[in-house]
Amino acid sequence: MDRLTLSCVWKQKGISVVLRRAGLGERLRVRLPFADDNGGWLQNGRRTAPEWIGGTAAYWELPKSWFNDFVDRALLRYGKIYIVQPYRRQEVCAGLSGSARSRMPVFVHGRQPWRRQ
């Protein structure tokens, strides 16, 4: 990838991507490198199953409440993940703890968070 654009990140197939949308009722959209057990791995013993959106889109939809667990588990399984989430310039960090701060990056690549200033 020459340029790190949203389109390039979403279309590549080597690194997991999670799109965290802001709207009410919006679900997480997740793209993973292919594996036969992706659906079961995403569900992780939960009652609710992830929904596969096939066709040219080819992604999974997950409840928003699974975000932190998904990120932690994806880093363990794949070693790298892109996190794409809304960003508003007027948002200000109000002295969050270290663990909360680590969940706020726009992109995470490997275990090194990248934060926009």
Side-chain angles (χ1 to χ4, degrees), residues 24-78:
L24 185 62
E26 298 279 2
R27 298 174 56 137
L28 300 174
R29 290 185 177 176
V30 172
R31 294 195 74 178
L32 301 172
F34 177 80
D36 288 330
D37 69 337
N38 278 347
W41 180 81
L42 286 168
Q43 189 169 0
N44 194 30
R46 296 178 179 99
R47 186 177 40 152
T48 306
E51 182 180 353
W52 172 248
I53 310 297
T56 58
Y59 61 87
W60 295 91
E61 282 200 339
L62 314 174
K64 280 184 179 179
S65 61
W66 293 11
F67 178 76
N68 291 338
D69 181 63
F70 168 76
V71 169
D72 292 342
R73 292 177 51 245
L75 282 171
L76 289 174
R77 183 173 183 170
Y78 300 107

Side-chain angles (χ1 to χ4, degrees), residues 3-12 17 19 84-85 107:
R3 289 182 11 175
L4 192 61
T5 64
L6 179 56
S7 179
C8 290
V9 167
W10 186 253
K11 290 178 182 176
Q12 60 79 39
V17 182
L19 174 62
V84 182
Q85 64 183 16
F107 291 103

